[in-house]
């Protein structure tokens, strides 16, 4: 049930938005054409059932005399006031005719709200010279009648330039052209039609299912072959046996295949429905008087923001029964008795909508850890601690107090001026720092790792134009957005705040000074009554679909792109039907069989000397032979393979070692055993995206694991705050110059230990200050829990570590920070933030200039000018080496940490005198004002004045936690012959560290890095180097990869596929998919792509085998994948075990089914030769169908349970998997071996049967067919490696079925002969001759050249 949430609204003059329809009073501006043209469009008329709402009493003239005068003067003289309301719908003259000049016939109800021109001004400057026609035309069009009944806000009236005419409104929506920009009316129904916000991974629609599936099926040669054979039976001359013998098997195969595809697609749709059913809170705007709901179809409103049918009929009855004079009197009473002259009429309440029901223009209310369901623009962001009234108070520019925990302005004029300048330049309002949350200033953080793979949090801002608005005023907002685009890091748009129709006082476009004394943003002083106030929108104001809100703030956002037009969907390739490599291989083999069939047919016709038989010409006989030999290409092959795939899927989903595994595409399980390239995402796939500081080095000693307890001891001692010496109760705060004082119990501590303690304190203090982390407080289970927000998870890990060792960040804003000792709970450090230099991918470092306070502030106290100013900096060792002072241990220690896969940060500091800081500040400000080369100039000033000979404090090592068993899993896959590529959207340094820690890069292996490559000559040099370094690991970023694929596509991919490991970072989702497609096209090998985020969907769908991991942030990758697993370590079992079994079993099953069809065709050939090359069937009707079904199907199909090794050996010897990639289990060699066996056995069975019995007759058929069935059952037993109970039962059951059916085969057999001893010994002799030689040859080959699986088994 939707929650009813009533937002507090500002008290003050109401706007026309509050009463857009009121016609109780006539504004003076309406009587003055000049005022009308200046102040905006007139307001629309009011519905008769709306309650009156007062307007400004000083600027309005009651319409009572105008209206009643018109009623008296134009009436028929017999009407009384009590009868005025009963003239609705009458045929009399229009009472308001003189007031209309647009030539449109008005309803005699007058101002009852049935015509949008009711609110037209009485005197229009543009029509003063025109006369109203005597006979105005009637409203003829349905659209005009419908449009006249639509109730829209005033800013959507036909007079507003930015709104569509009601006749072009919701009833006549047009499809939005994707190549044009869009203007979005917030909280309302849009004039254009946009796609629904639904995720769809389905491959088919209701209309495309049969065409696409049938096309896919008949694109295989053997299906087309059987279709032609079945159609040939329509011709009487070619008909052999029953028509159903050929039609039924084909129909059965197609039904099985199509049903399987349909079930898979239905399952995808069900999973999509689950994802599309996620609930979200949406703001609903409703007029309290009319019940009109904007943009929703719920409750009291019908679709498209209009009253529902039931409500319209109710209102119609009320209108008929209402007295016109009573209505006017009621309105006057309302005006006189209203104590709140500026009461608003639009209320806002919260409803719950499913993700698929969200529309463009809906306003979402999103909280922490919620996934964004569509592309949105953030309108407002505030903390959970501050309610809406607080935000509204700040919107009215009320002063906000600064918490006593923050410092007062410094006494030094320059520093104070610097802080004031920074505050003035800020685009955000000051906020109550007691909450210490960025959300109070319209700021929020989002996680985009599921969109672009980057682990850093992104800062997003609400536009200052919308941040201060109350929720009910969102209806005044227009958002203009560009065309849908796949570029996730770019966006350009505008937001407009439309004026109120009666702009007397608008707190949001006020000219009064703000907190910093400046004019409100976006308001032009020269045009105080301008129509709209606009502001630009950038990528910083957006949150794309599938990102996750990371802040503890509440965010109001408007939907701008939905469904297939979101960035996420446009970066995703459409689903495609995947066909396994085994299917293509079998398709090639069936072409050979077809050629063999054609050769046999021609051979028999030639052998018969092209003579006509049974009135059939030789070419007709040739066609009849083709039909007879059609069993060479067994139609049951597809049935057996498809049923086998279902069994493999069942095994995968019920494997206890892979809980939660799901097979979403059951047509390619055999490809799991043929993978040669694995393309993996990093974040969420190989790593958990959880950072932890594992090691810290302070120059002389290193701390890790249990040694961190010693660091905690040092911090507890170093930040013990002594009492002040002046007798006051306030303790002295810690500064970097404070002496490290050990407790009395450790007075005997050596000098070295005190120095180490001082070093540890300094480096921990530096780490606790040099960051951009903001602490937030949340309520969980009645307890206050402190969490941290930052753009980088590395910084959060470091700040969390400083808290664990005893120094907690309790407060931070733009002005300063406060640190607390965890041991004593007292504030020990307080600093002012003077300058911040954020981290950039080019600079690879971040710095901060702070001023320490040595004593807490008291009321009226003045800070001394000699407070310490320090510059702290941390960054990558590659850039910090040249910045810190000379030392002899930095390079060695960073190399050690890098080999452990840790992300290293070097920390340094420098003390600044007041004069140094003043000089730096002046030069830095001057550089920031430059037009050309601003960034380079500012960086040069920082380098010249700050980044010189920093004191090296220490080195930290941060670990990105890997998923469970990632290292052994990757090692096993490499030993299985799989080349592994890691494709990520993260930074180069992060990708390198994860590659090392996950053992993608072996110890001592050279890593060749190609980054920021823009010149083709340098790209060619890199390729030349890789040709001579084939064992290196390639690390390349997205920019360089794009250059390579553009100019050196073939050269690059031919070299890259030979390397043992490739790591590509800063890759877009499209680049990931392009790499997968390029490897497939170049190598013709099977590739597997695995990921967990929405940014991996394109890559997964482009792969031959797509594997999705059910991630923390969503199921999109899992839903789009062919196989879904819970963890990366499950991939090894999926490939090495299930992939092996699926491929080996299908290969054996396919070859045996081919053998079964080929042997019966050989028997037919021998029989036809004995019949003088006549196309006469040997086995007719039931014998032909029964042989391929009940007499052999169960034993043959039981081969899907066979396995050559157990799971332990498959994992112990992953090299066994490498053999599968060569395709030896089903190759041309094995195929022709089975062909030779079939020819031998067919000739023996049919030849000896004809020799021992007769050439023709039921006795020969009985012997031949019985030996044929026995031969197949025994051959199945010969091929089984590991016996299963089902195999034994199937053999026994089939034997019993055949013996039990013999008495019913009197039409084909001589039953008396079958019961004789002569029949038995002939069957036994022929069977032995047919079976013993092939089995002996198999045993001999196994002895001389045993297969690999027998070697590892020791057999």
């Amino acid at each position: 049930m939707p929650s009813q949430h009533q937002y507090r609204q500002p008290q003050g003059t109401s706007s026309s938005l509050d009463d857009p329809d009121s016609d109780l009073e006539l504004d003076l501006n309406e009587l003055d054409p000049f005022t009308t043209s200046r102040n905006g469009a007139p307001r629309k008329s009011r519905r008769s059932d709306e309650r009156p709402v007062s307007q400004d009493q000083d600027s309005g003239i009651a319409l009572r005399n105008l209206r009643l005068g018109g009623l008296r003067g134009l009436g028929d003289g017999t009407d009384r006031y009590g009868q005025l309301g009963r003239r609705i719908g009458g045929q009399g003259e229009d009472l308001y005719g003189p007031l209309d000049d647009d030539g449109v016939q008005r309803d005699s109800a007058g101002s009852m709200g049935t015509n949008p021109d009711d609110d037209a001004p009485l005197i229009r400057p543009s029509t003063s010279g025109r006369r109203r026609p005597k006979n105005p035309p009637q409203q003829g069009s349905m659209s005009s009648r419908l449009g006249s009944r639509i109730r829209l806000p005033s800013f959507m009236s036909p007079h507003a330039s930015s709104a569509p005419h009601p006749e072009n409104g919701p009833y006549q929506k047009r499809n939005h052209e994707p190549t044009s920009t869009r203007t979005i009316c917030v909280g309302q129904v849009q004039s254009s039609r946009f796609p629904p916000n639904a995720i769809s991974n389905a491959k088919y629609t209701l209309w495309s299912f049969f065409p696409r599936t049938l096309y896919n099926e008949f694109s295989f040669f053997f299906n087309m072959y059987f279709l032609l054979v079945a159609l040939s039976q329509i011709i009487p001359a070619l008909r052999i046996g029953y028509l159903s013998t050929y039609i039924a098997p084909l129909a059965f195969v197609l039904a099985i295949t199509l049903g399987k595809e349909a079930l898979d697609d239905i399952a995808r749709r069900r999973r999509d429905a689950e994802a599309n059913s996620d609930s979200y809170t949406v703001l609903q705007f409703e007029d309290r008087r009319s019940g009109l709901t904007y943009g929703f179809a719920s409750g009291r409103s019908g679709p498209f923001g209009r009253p529902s049918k039931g409500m319209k009929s109710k209102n119609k009855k009320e209108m008929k029964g209402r007295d016109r004079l009573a209505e006017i009197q009621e309105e006057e009473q309302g005006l006189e008795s209203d104590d709140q002259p500026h009461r608003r009429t639009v209320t806002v309440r919260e409803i719950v909508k499913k993700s698929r029901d969200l529309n463009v223009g809906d306003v979402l209310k999103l909280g922490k850890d919620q996934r964004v369901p569509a592309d949105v623009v953030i309108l407002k962001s505030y903390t959970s601690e501050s309610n809406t009234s607080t935000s509204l108070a700040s919107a009215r520019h009320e002063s906000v107090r600064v918490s006593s925990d923050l410092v007062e302005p410094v006494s030094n004029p320059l520093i104070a001026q610097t802080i004031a300048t920074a505050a003035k330049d800020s685009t955000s309002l000051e906020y109550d720092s007691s909450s210490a949350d960025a959300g109070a200033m319209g700021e929020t953080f989002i996680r985009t790792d599921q969109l672009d793979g980057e682990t850093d949090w992104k800062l997003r801002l609400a536009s200052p134009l919308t941040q201060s608005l109350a929720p009910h005023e969102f209806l005044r907002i227009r958002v203009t957005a560009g065309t849908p685009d796949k570029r996730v890091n770019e966006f350009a748009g505008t937001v407009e705040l439309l004026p109120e129709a009666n702009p007397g006082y608008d707190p949001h476009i006020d000219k009064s000074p703000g907190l910093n004394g400046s004019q409100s943003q976006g308001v032009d002083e020269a045009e105080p009554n301008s129509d709209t106030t606009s502001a630009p929108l950038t990528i910083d104001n957006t949150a794309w679909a599938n990102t996750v809100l990371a802040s503890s703030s509440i965010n109001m956002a408007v939907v701008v792109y939905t469904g297939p037009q979101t960035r996420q969907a446009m970066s995703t390739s459409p689903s495609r039907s995947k066909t396994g490599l085994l299917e293509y291989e079998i398709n090639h083999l069936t072409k050979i069989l077809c050629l063999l069939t054609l050769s046999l047919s021609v051979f028999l016709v030639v052998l018969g000397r092209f003579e006509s038989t049974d009135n059939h010409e030789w070419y007709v006989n040739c066609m009849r032979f083709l039909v007879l030999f059609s069993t060479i290409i067994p139609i049951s092959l597809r049935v057996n393979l498809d049923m086998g795939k279902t069994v493999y899927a069942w095994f995968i989903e019920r494997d206890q070692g892979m809980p939660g595994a799901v097979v979403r595409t059951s047509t390619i399980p055999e490809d799991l055993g043929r993978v040669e390239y694995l393309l993996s995402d990093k974040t969420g796939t190989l790593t958990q995206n959880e950072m932890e500081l594992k090691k810290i080095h302070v120059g002389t000693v290193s701390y890790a694991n249990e040694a961190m307890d010693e660091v905690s001891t040092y911090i507890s001692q170093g930040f013990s705050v002594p009492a002040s010496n002046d007798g006051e109760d306030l303790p002295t705060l810690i500064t970097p110059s404070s002496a490290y004082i050990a407790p009395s119990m450790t007075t005997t501590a050596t000098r070295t230990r005190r120095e180490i303690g001082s070093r540890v304190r300094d480096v921990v203090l530096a780490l606790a200050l040099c960051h951009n982390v903001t602490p937030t407080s949340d309520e969980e289970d009645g307890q206050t829990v402190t969490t941290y927000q930052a753009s980088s998870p590395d910084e959060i890990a470091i700040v969390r570590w400083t808290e664990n060792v005893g120094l907690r960040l309790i407060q931070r804003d733009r002005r300063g920070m406060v640190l607390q000792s965890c041991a004593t709970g007292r504030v020990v450090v307080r600093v002012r933030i003077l300058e911040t230099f954020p981290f950039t991918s080019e600079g690879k470092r971040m710095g901060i200039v702070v001023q320490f306070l040595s004593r807490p502030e008291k009321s009226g106290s003045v800070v001394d000018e000699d407070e310490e100013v320090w510059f702290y900096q941390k960054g990558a060792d590659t850039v910090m080496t040249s910045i810190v002072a000379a030392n002899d241990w930095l390079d060695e220690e960073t190399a050690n940490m890098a080999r452990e896969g840790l992300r290293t940060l070097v920390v340094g500091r420098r003390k600044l005198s007041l004069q140094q800081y003043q000089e730096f500040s002046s030069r830095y400000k001057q550089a920031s004002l430059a037009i050309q080369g601003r960034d380079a100039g500012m960086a040069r000033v920082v380098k010249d004045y700050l980044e010189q000979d920093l004191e090296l404090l220490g080195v930290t090592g941060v670990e990105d936690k890997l998923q469970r068993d990632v290292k052994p899993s990757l090692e096993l896959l490499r030993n299985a012959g799989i080349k592994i590529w890691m494709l990520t959207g993260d930074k180069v340094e992060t990708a390198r560290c994860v590659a090392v820690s996950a053992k993608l890069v072996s110890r001592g292996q050279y890593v060749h890095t190609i980054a920021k490559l823009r010149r083709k000559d340098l790209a060619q040099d890199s390729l030349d180097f890789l040709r001579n370094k084939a064992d290196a690991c390639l690390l390349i970023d997205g920019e360089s990869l794009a250059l390579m694929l553009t100019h050196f596509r073939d050269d690059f991919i031919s070299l890259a596929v030979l390397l043992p490991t490739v790591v590509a970072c800063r890759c877009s989702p499209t680049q990931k998919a392009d790499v997968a497609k390029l490897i497939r096209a170049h190598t013709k090998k099977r590739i597997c792509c695995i990921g967990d985020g929405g940014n991996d969907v394109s890559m997964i769908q482009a792969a031959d085998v797509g594997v999705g991991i059910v991630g923390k942030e969503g199921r999109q990758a899992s839903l789009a994948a062919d196989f879904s697993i819970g963890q990366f370590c499950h991939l090894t079992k999926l490939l090495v075990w299930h992939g092996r079994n699926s491929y080996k079993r299908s290969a054996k099953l396919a070859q045996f089914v081919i053998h079964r069809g080929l042997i019966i065709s050989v028997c037919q050939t021998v029989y036809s030769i004995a019949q003088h090359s006549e196309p006469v069937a040997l086995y007719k009707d039931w014998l032909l169908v029964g042989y391929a079904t009940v007499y052999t199907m169960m034993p043959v199909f039981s081969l899907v349970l066979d396995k050559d090794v157990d799971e332990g050996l498959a994992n112990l010897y992953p090299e066994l998997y490498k053999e599968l990639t060569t395709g030896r289990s089903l190759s041309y060699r094995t195929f022709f071996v089975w062909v030779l066996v079939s020819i031998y056995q067919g000739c023996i069975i049919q030849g000896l049967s004809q020799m021992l019995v007769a050439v023709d007759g039921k006795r020969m058929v009985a012997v031949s067919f019985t030996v044929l069935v026995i031969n197949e059952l025994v051959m199945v037993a010969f091929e089984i490696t590991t016996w299963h109970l089902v195999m034994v039962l199937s053999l026994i059951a089939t034997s019993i079925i055949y013996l039990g059916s013999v008495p019913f085969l009197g039409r084909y057999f001589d039953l008396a002969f079958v019961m004789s001893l002569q029949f038995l010994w002939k069957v036994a002799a022929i069977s032995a001759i047919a079976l013993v030689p092939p089995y002996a040859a198999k045993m001999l080959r196994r002895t001389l050249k045993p297969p690999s699986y027998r070697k590892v088994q020791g057999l």
Side-chain angles (χ1 to χ4, degrees), residues 66 95-102 106 117 120-122 124 132:
L66 291 175
L95 301 182
Y96 288 86
L99 300 182
D100 266 340
D101 57 356
D102 54 2
R106 294 186 54 160
D117 284 290
L122 299 179
R124 293 187 181 180
R132 182 176 182 274

Side-chain angles (χ1 to χ4, degrees), residues 903-920:
R903 302 166 68 170
T904 57
L905 285 176
V906 179
V907 186
R909 69 177 181 178
R910 181 182 179 187
K911 186 175 182 180
L912 303 176
S913 65
L914 184 59
Q915 181 181 358
Q916 289 176 324
Y917 176 72
Q918 290 174 349
E919 186 177 355
F920 160 76

Side-chain angles (χ1 to χ4, degrees), residues 949-988:
D949 294 331
L950 267 63
E951 177 188 355
L952 178 59
L953 296 178
V955 181
T956 63
V958 177
E959 180 189 44
D960 191 352
K961 291 183 179 179
L962 299 175
Q963 295 280 1
R964 181 171 67 90
D965 294 335
V966 163
K967 293 180 183 180
S969 298
L970 291 175
E971 182 179 2
L972 188 147
L973 293 175
R974 275 201 304 271
N975 293 335
I978 299 176
K979 292 183 174 63
I980 302 173
W981 291 38
M982 186 174 77
L983 308 180
T984 177
D986 220 332
K987 298 185 291 292
V988 175

Side-chain angles (χ1 to χ4, degrees), residues 668-686:
I668 55 172
E670 297 90 357
D671 278 5
L672 292 171
R674 310 288 296 278
V675 172
E676 295 190 50
Y677 289 90
L678 174 64
L679 278 59
S680 174
D681 178 44
K682 178 188 73 69
T683 307
T685 304
L686 298 178

Side-chain angles (χ1 to χ4, degrees), residues 63-101:
L63 294 181
R64 176 188 176 106
N65 294 334
L66 291 175
R67 289 179 177 172
L68 297 186
L71 291 172
R72 295 188 189 102
L74 298 175
D76 56 6
T78 60
D79 290 341
R80 297 296 181 263
Y81 290 142
Q83 297 173 324
L84 295 178
R86 303 186 180 97
R87 290 176 57 92
I88 299 174
Q91 302 297 323
E93 183 182 358
D94 187 355
L95 301 182
Y96 288 86
L99 300 182
D100 266 340
D101 57 356

Side-chain angles (χ1 to χ4, degrees), residues 90-296:
Q91 302 297 323
E93 183 182 358
D94 187 355
L95 301 182
Y96 288 86
L99 300 182
D100 266 340
D101 57 356
D102 54 2
V104 178
Q105 177 66 40
R106 294 186 54 160
D107 193 290
S108 59
S111 60
M112 299 305 288
T114 59
N115 192 301
D117 284 290
D118 283 358
D119 58 353
L122 299 179
I123 302 174
R124 293 187 181 180
S126 61
T127 59
S128 58
R130 293 170 58 191
R131 295 178 59 86
R132 182 176 182 274
K134 293 182 180 181
N135 298 317
Q138 296 292 332
Q139 296 175 341
S141 66
M142 177 64 69
S143 62
S144 62
R145 290 196 298 271
L146 290 175
S148 67
R149 293 179 172 87
I150 299 176
R151 302 294 298 145
L152 297 174
S154 61
F155 45 71
M156 294 186 67
S157 70
H159 307 291
S161 60
S162 61
H165 192 277
E167 292 182 0
N168 298 326
Y171 287 100
Q172 296 185 2
K173 280 191 176 183
R174 68 183 187 280
N175 288 329
H176 183 265
E177 176 59 42
T179 59
S180 63
T181 59
R182 60 182 66 186
T183 300
I184 300 165
C185 303
V186 176
Q188 304 168 55
V189 175
Q190 309 306 307
S191 59
S192 299
R193 192 182 304 277
F194 299 102
N197 189 54
I199 298 173
S200 178
N201 292 293
K203 295 180 180 179
Y204 311 104
T205 64
L206 183 62
W207 308 110
S208 67
F209 175 74
F210 283 104
R212 287 185 60 185
T213 52
L214 291 177
Y215 174 80
N216 292 334
E217 288 303 309
F218 290 114
S219 62
F220 287 100
F221 176 79
F222 55 86
N223 280 345
M224 179 60 70
Y225 175 82
F226 274 107
L227 177 64
L228 295 177
V229 170
L231 293 177
S232 69
Q233 297 304 291
I234 300 176
I235 303 174
L238 301 180
R239 184 174 300 173
I240 300 176
Y242 294 127
L243 181 63
S244 59
T245 305
Y246 301 92
I247 298 294
L250 179 63
F252 179 73
V253 169
L254 293 178
I256 292 293
T257 306
L258 268 63
K260 197 161 161 297
E261 283 289 319
L263 291 177
D264 287 346
D265 213 49
I266 290 173
R268 292 189 196 97
R269 290 184 176 276
R270 287 176 178 172
R271 290 186 291 269
D272 289 342
E274 293 177 3
N276 293 328
S277 298
D278 293 341
S279 298
Y280 290 90
T281 301
V282 180
L283 301 189
Q284 187 182 51
F285 304 89
E286 183 175 346
D287 193 315
R288 293 186 303 183
R289 300 166 302 165
S290 65
L292 182 132
T293 304
Y294 299 104
F296 295 93

Side-chain angles (χ1 to χ4, degrees), residues 1133-1150:
K1133 189 170 189 178
L1134 186 66
L1135 298 181
V1136 175
W1137 176 240
H1138 290 287
R1140 176 183 182 83
N1141 288 337
S1142 299
Y1143 172 62
K1144 297 279 286 186
R1145 291 165 175 172
S1146 289
K1148 183 178 292 187
L1149 179 63

